[in-house]
Amino acid sequence: MSDLCTTLESVSILSRGLHRVSDKEKNKGKISDLRESLQHRETEIDLLQRTFTEIGSELDINNLFQLVADRARELVKAETLLIPILDENCETYTYRAGSGINSGEIVGESLPLEYGVCGWVWKHKRPWWRGVLDELDEGERNRWEKQAGTLIMVPLQGKEHFLGGISAANKTDRHEFTRRDLNLLTMFAGIVSVAIENAMVVQQMEQTNRLNEDYRRRLKIMNKQLLESNRELEFHALYDPLTSLPNRSLFRDRLSRGITRAESSGTKLGLLLIDLDRFKDINDALGHDKGDQILKEIALLLQQYVYPDDTFARLGGDEFAVILPDSGREKILSRANAFLKALEKPFQINDSTISVGASIGISIYPEHGDNVTDMLCRADSAMYSAKKLKQGITLYQPVNDHSPLGYLTMVTDLRKAFDNAEFELYYQPQIDLKSNEMTAVEALGRWVHPRYGIVKPDVFICELEQIGLIDKYTTWVIETALAHATDWRKHGRELKVSVNISVNDLLNPEFTQRLESLLGSTEEGQLLKFEITENLFLSEYDHLFDVLEHIRYLGITLSIDDFGTGYSSLSRLKKLPVSELKIDQSFVTDMEKSQNDEVIVHSTIELAHNLGMSVVAEGVQSAATLQRLASLGCDLAQGFIISEPLSAEQFELLLGGPQVKVG
Ligand code: C2E
Ligand code: MG
Ligand code: MG
């Protein structure tokens, strides 16, 4: 500002001097020079004043730079004027604005801090002009003279920071820049630097504001995303992602609330555990993607049978569950039936027809439990017996209980069963369909429990296997069956007795040895048939082959039980020393009604005969089936139409009476 005052002062002194000269009219040439110089100064003052007004109201940094460049060029009458400004990184400077010749090509260019005249000015924080050359040593002077002889440059020093500079090149009138030009430009720079610094602060503030805005916007988006993932997490914590049904956690919670409500309203509540029967096979056969699709379809299908107050959930794998509030025993059973029937119907997935079937276990509040764990355990135990006994639906019964408490009781009871001789063998006749005579009999185990009465083998055999007592039991069965058969032979009835052998027996390395010691001779062995299920061959084929050979060597006939329910092909079975096939009752019982079943039975008989095996049809329940089987060439038949399994006493009564015949 002091430079400006000096200039204004000198203008007024000159003006006064001019009056004196004009008065005396001594030197017209001098007067004309002074007038010209005065005009120059007035123009300069006018320019400076305009610049101050303009820059005072300009806050846009780029406009401001441009304004400064234009006005400075006008002020010092330069061909080119440039505004180099230090960059934030303090390593480079950039030409931010320019005016005049070639400025368009230079503006925007960034150069290293130490480069050129700018570098000199930054370093010395002093203006550059030709006069500076006199201060330099010769070498340096030569260098700079070539580069910067026609340049003036002044630093732009803000209140807080060093900003950059204003650089002018080549006077428009081809003269050199004078010290006066330098002083003018220095004064100009002093004034505009504050405005530039302010505008830069404003720009920084705007940038910070923009960043803030941006940050706030991003924060908002992140908050939204967080909310969504929270919702998703919550969903995953409580719902099954595949079917979108409540999962086990949510189900337990709903069951707990249901029990509390039932308790306060004095109502009953039913819990159904639905486990699909053939899902694993379907999944293995069709692949997991199809399996998932089937589970989704099943969820949708069952949903149609769910009432608004029920809770329907997927507990995992192929296990679904339903809570039926405010329902008595009859209603619960009929609702379970509706679910079961829905699952029995085959349904279409793409081009395949699939029927999965299910087993449903039921527990009822309050009679089977008054808390979530007991209710679930009991429904689970019921579901397992439904599956084992192929009953479809089973209501919880303590005797079928495999839950820790029920299981422990059963294990203790089973151990006692041997000492107390609670096992019995029941006998079910097998009829020769050509002679219509009973030629064989199947021995079926029963456990006469002191409290629960007769317990079926489906329940206890598997437990015996698990607690390692199956070999003891099988030894007893073979001994007992053999004793009865020998006795019947003594009384003139030669009957082969079929004994069911568990896979655990065959895998026991001592089995054949024990068998040898049980049989006095191969004659005794010829009184026995061993029934083994086909699935047993899948895993331990090679080892079992030797065991089966040994059994046959002892005179015992080998029979494949429940044929058709497993995975063995006849060609594979052919390689085993097996001479009889028992077609599973699931194909036989309804073969009169189902064309499919009849085809299966027929072709199995044909194939078995071709392979030199005889065929037994089990589960024959009607005379028509019996006749049909005879006409298809089946060798033996077994089933309720002939006789139910009978206790030894009843069976002996039957033997003593007229011969069992058909037709
Ligand atoms: P399995 O060997 O297939 O025995 C036939 C089953 O079908 C018997 O059930 C029998 O009572 C039943 N049954 C017979 N005729 C008919 C009919 O016309 N209709 C219907 N619906 N069912 C009929 P059980 O006695 O309950 O035996 C079930 C299974 O338990 C047996 O199936 C067998 O695999 C196993 N098992 C039985 N006793 C023993 C045993 O002493 N040891 C071993 N390891 N398993 C045994
Ligand atoms: Mg059997
Ligand atoms: Mg069977």
Side-chain angles (χ1 to χ4, degrees), residues 67-129:
L67 196 76
V68 168
D70 291 339
R71 297 289 173 267
R73 188 166 79 90
E74 238 179 287
L75 191 67
V76 293
K77 296 193 173 48
E79 275 184 1
T80 308
L81 197 126
L82 294 164
I83 313 282
I85 298 290
L86 297 191
D87 294 323
E88 261 179 53
N89 59 18
C90 292
E91 287 172 3
T92 52
Y93 60 91
T94 301
Y95 290 104
R96 299 283 297 268
S99 177
I101 298 170
N102 293 339
S103 63
E105 288 156 33
I106 300 169
V107 172
E109 195 175 327
S110 298
L111 294 165
L113 210 57
E114 63 283 358
Y115 188 81
V117 173
C118 293
W120 190 92
V121 172
W122 312 148
K123 189 171 166 196
H124 298 92
K125 301 268 177 351
R126 284 177 53 197
W128 168 272
W129 76 299

